[in-house]
Amino acid sequence: MPKPEDKKEEPALKGTFASVMLLGAFIILTWIGVFALFMARN
Amino acid sequence: MKSFDRSDSKLVLAHVLFAFAALFIGGVAGLLQSMVKSGSIELPANIGYYELLTAHGVLMALIFTTYFIVGFLYSGVSHTLGGKLLPVSRKLGWYGYALMSVGTVMGVIVILLGKASVLYTFYAPMKASPWFYIALALVVVGSWLSGFGIFYQYIRWKKGNKGKLSPLFAYMSVVTMLLWQICTIGVAIEVVVQLIPWSFGWVDTVNVVLSRTLFWYFGHPLVYFWLLPAYICWYVVIPKVIGGKIFSDSLARLSFMLFLLFSIPVGFHHQLMEPGISPFWKYLQVVLTFMVIIPSLMTAFSMFATFELYGRSKGAKGTFGWVKKLPWKDVRFFAPFMGMLIFIPAGAGGIINASNQMNAVVHNTLWVTGHFHITVATSVALTFFGILYWLIPAITGRVLTPRMNKLGMIQTIIWCVGMFFMSGAMHIVGLFGSPRRTAYNTYNDHPDAVLWMPYHVAMAIGGSILFIGVILIVYNIIGLLRAPRGETEYPIGEVSEASEKTPAFLERWGLWIGIAVALIVFAYTLPLVDMIMNNVPSPGYVTW
């Protein structure tokens, strides 16, 4: 178990978290878009 | 501040200038190509569309990139591993440069003579002059010598600094060159064992699927050979340029090692539509391809974190307040940042390409051309352009003036606008089915093909804007070489105090190379045996 003085304060990365979530959502949406095109053409 | 070693400066500058000479000639070929494709012009009698296409691809994708990468890596290795190159490394750098230059000149002559319009992928059974293949073999062997120079400098530094963590820039340079050495073995075997004897007429036929497999064993990691040096700039240089810190040294090293592991045994995702490869092996390599998403997203996370921590240190509030604090008027940040931003749709497109069903939608369409124009020709190229504005001043003892900075900003915007039109049109018309690698053709006025025409015109407009960008970057290089004398720091970022200590296993090269080799052997051995045992030989064709 770490001693109290070893504890480092976590930096605030709220914006980073939101940014990577948006990035992931963009990837999924484009993937679904082209997959829908594939389905529509079959 | 210690100035950059003069002898090393010459070597780096020679590579950078050769790279941009290739970019200029390749740019002329690209401009003409887009005009022909849209039906805007017809080429004078003896110049063929496919000669231009081959010259454009070879000069831009192979020569511009390789020269710039070698020059950039040598500059950082010299700066971070002792302040100057060891005589052996410098000599290897110059020998590599000489060999690559002989190969480039020879290759371009053969292409322009119309003897090698086999496109830059030199796909069998299209058969070029043997001198084209020999020329490209010289380029590859030259780049190997340059890689050996980097390895030598690194090994000597490690011996003299036992137990110390190697500088991040040098570590990443070694990973990049290691990736290159491993992947070019495939194309070397294809060229030396298959294509050269076949094109000389010593053998009558070629094993087509084997040659393409060897090509793509090299062809996909080639993409990461372009990208990793851009990532070096993003991870190591950009934090310093903006006045921030590297988010995590361990994360950066681990992501590079994962790129080494997962960018090589994945070539089959370029061959999803080809017969002769069993669906199981295609599936396996698609799974391995998708593993590359992990280090890619690690890189995105790390960049966002560096930016956010910097912004917060400057008093930014709210979820996205840090965005406003970034140095938007500094081209050394702005150009690579635009490269990062455009890598988001580029990466998303890559995942679509590598998915089996969706590959059927986009395969051999202009979508693919649009894809690699936003990856290598925007994300990578804009990062390389951004590097110029500090690299040339740092190695020549000059300073970046506000005027040059402004011209750099304008060049970046021109590039983005041109690429928006050109690559955007390529992506859309590709989804409509317009094929890549074809000269102007109305397909007997087929209604589908007629609908493609406005997009082909948009591509030509975008291509023309990009050509202005090519002229401006050449002008800017001349401007940087004539800038006022002064000291410019070589920007190397420091690691954030909040980050954890880097574990030693990330520098256990034997372990990582061992895993990389095991994955390659696993993904390729049985399919290769199958291709050799069930050879469907083909004679050569000159299709142009």
Side-chain angles (χ1 to χ4, degrees):
Chain A
M1 194 166 155
K3 292 174 193 168
E5 62 266 27
D6 289 343
K7 271 194 183 170
K8 282 181 190 167
E9 201 185 317
E10 286 285 330
L13 291 172
K14 226 175 13 175
T16 302
F17 179 70
S19 303
V20 289
M21 286 296 134
L22 287 171
L23 173 59
F26 177 78
I27 291 172
I28 292 167
L29 285 177
T30 48
W31 195 91
I32 290 172
V34 181
F35 189 67
L37 201 57
F38 169 76
M39 294 303 280
R41 287 177 181 177
N42 279 276
Chain B
M1 185 169 36
K2 192 181 170 299
S3 59
F4 199 85
D5 184 83
R6 275 172 160 260
S7 307
D8 297 350
S9 167
K10 283 180 194 157
L11 179 65
V12 174
L13 201 57
H15 280 88
V16 170
L17 295 182
F18 198 110
F20 280 87
L23 182 90
F24 181 74
I25 302 168
V28 173
L31 174 71
L32 292 174
Q33 228 183 300
S34 69
M35 305 290 256
V36 174
K37 172 89 185 171
S38 62
S40 312
I41 59 163
E42 276 182 39
L43 292 167
N46 289 326
I47 310 173
Y49 175 81
Y50 298 99
E51 284 160 44
L52 288 177
L53 195 156
T54 307
H56 176 68
V58 168
L59 284 168
M60 299 292 230
L62 299 178
I63 305 304
F64 163 67
T65 51
T66 307
Y67 273 83
F68 188 87
I69 290 164
V70 171
F72 175 51
L73 297 189
Y74 263 98
S75 75
V77 164
S78 161
H79 180 75
T80 61
L81 294 182
K84 66 187 225 174
L85 293 171
L86 296 167
V88 173
S89 296
R90 196 181 301 127
K91 261 190 200 156
L92 283 166
W94 278 116
Y95 289 154
Y97 181 83
L99 219 50
M100 290 202 297
S101 304
V102 171
T104 304
V105 172
M106 214 164 109
V108 170
I109 290 172
V110 180
I111 293 167
L112 294 181
L113 287 173
K115 304 280 184 202
S117 301
V118 289
L119 320 178
Y120 104 96
T121 46
F122 39 102
Y123 249 24
M126 287 198 291
K127 187 159 83 169
S129 155
W131 298 107
F132 172 74
Y133 302 121
I134 291 169
L136 290 182
L138 288 177
V139 173
V140 169
V141 175
S143 70
W144 284 351
L145 295 185
S146 307
F148 296 154
I150 289 174
F151 296 154
Y152 182 78
Q153 183 95 7
Y154 182 86
I155 292 166
R156 287 292 298 267
W157 187 92
K158 283 296 273 184
K159 278 191 179 154
N161 294 272
K162 281 214 183 317
K164 268 195 191 171
L165 187 69
S166 59
L168 186 56
F169 192 116
Y171 176 90
M172 291 175 155
S173 302
V174 172
V175 177
T176 307
M177 275 302 176
L178 206 52
L179 172 97
W180 182 244
Q181 304 279 348
I182 297 173
C183 79
T184 43
I185 292 168
V187 77
I189 294 172
E190 181 200 5
V191 166
V192 174
V193 177
Q194 290 194 283
L195 301 184
I196 292 176
W198 171 61
S199 62
F200 268 121
W202 301 335
V203 291
D204 295 329
T205 59
V206 66
N207 182 335
V208 174
V209 71
L210 178 65
S211 78
R212 292 180 180 194
T213 300
L214 289 170
F215 181 86
W216 285 117
Y217 166 84
F218 147 83
H220 192 72
L222 168 67
V223 174
Y224 283 89
F225 177 65
W226 300 329
L227 271 173
L228 292 188
Y231 286 177
I232 296 178
C233 171
W234 298 359
Y235 272 113
V236 184
V237 174
I238 291 296
K240 183 75 177 178
V241 165
I242 66 171
K245 293 277 170 71
I246 297 169
F247 173 67
S248 162
D249 182 272
S250 324
L251 182 149
R253 285 177 204 249
L254 180 62
S255 79
F256 262 59
M257 279 308 182
L258 294 178
F259 282 123
L260 175 70
L261 298 189
F262 296 118
S263 65
I264 304 175
V266 296
F268 283 168
H269 76 246
H270 289 259
Q271 297 173 278
L272 290 173
M273 297 298 116
E274 271 191 41
I277 305 166
S278 102
F280 171 77
W281 295 109
K282 286 180 180 173
Y283 170 75
L284 181 93
Q285 293 209 7
V286 165
V287 171
L288 289 172
T289 306
F290 274 55
M291 296 294 283
V292 179
I293 299 170
I294 297 170
S296 304
L297 290 181
M298 282 164 67
T299 304
F301 177 87
S302 183
M303 289 303 114
F304 284 129
T306 294
F307 296 154
E308 183 169 7
L309 291 177
Y310 167 74
R312 296 210 180 278
S313 74
K314 295 286 167 195
K317 300 272 181 253
T319 308
F320 293 110
W322 44 274
V323 176
K324 286 188 214 147
K325 302 285 180 186
L326 297 170
W328 295 109
K329 290 182 179 170
D330 184 343
V331 68
R332 300 169 309 154
F333 164 74
F334 182 65
F337 180 84
M338 291 312 290
M340 293 178 202
L341 192 66
I342 294 167
F343 199 64
I344 296 173
I351 298 171
I352 290 165
N353 298 342
S355 305
N356 189 58
Q357 291 89 336
M358 279 163 278
N359 193 274
V361 178
V362 301
H363 197 85
N364 267 344
T365 69
L366 274 166
W367 162 285
V368 178
T369 319
H371 170 71
F372 61 71
H373 275 89
I374 53 170
T375 49
V376 64
T378 309
S379 296
V380 172
L382 277 181
T383 303
F384 290 179
F385 295 170
I387 289 170
L388 288 176
Y389 298 98
W390 55 262
L391 181 64
I392 293 181
I395 64 172
T396 57
R398 293 173 192 276
V399 289
L400 175 66
T401 59
R403 182 175 168 270
M404 285 313 304
N405 183 62
K406 197 173 175 189
L407 284 171
M409 297 290 291
I410 294 169
Q411 198 278 337
T412 307
I413 293 165
I414 288 175
W415 200 264
C416 293
V417 171
M419 204 51 89
F420 176 78
F421 281 105
M422 194 179 84
S423 179
M426 285 171 168
H427 274 93
I428 297 169
V429 80
L431 289 177
F432 293 159
S434 177
R436 66 189 282 210
R437 295 170 156 173
T438 44
Y440 178 70
N441 193 336
T442 62
Y443 300 92
N444 287 328
D445 296 332
H446 187 282
D448 284 353
V450 172
L451 285 175
W452 299 337
M453 292 300 165
Y455 294 94
H456 295 171
V457 173
M459 281 159 48
I461 293 169
S464 307
I465 298 170
L466 283 165
F467 188 68
I468 297 170
V470 169
I471 294 171
L472 191 51
I473 195 72
V474 172
Y475 177 82
N476 287 357
I477 290 173
I478 296 167
L480 288 167
L481 290 170
R482 296 157 59 102
R485 293 256 169 218
E487 288 292 320
T488 294
E489 187 187 6
Y490 195 107
I492 296 289
E494 288 162 24
V495 180
S496 163
E497 297 84 7
S499 107
E500 299 288 334
K501 191 172 170 286
T502 304
F505 75 89
L506 287 169
E507 287 206 302
R508 286 184 59 190
W509 295 94
L511 170 76
W512 295 102
I513 296 170
I515 300 172
V517 171
L519 281 173
I520 292 165
V521 169
F522 177 55
Y524 271 111
T525 306
L526 288 181
L528 281 178
V529 169
D530 187 31
M531 284 169 202
I532 293 164
M533 302 289 281
N534 299 296
N535 181 14
V536 182
S538 170
Y541 294 94
V542 176
T543 52
W544 62 95

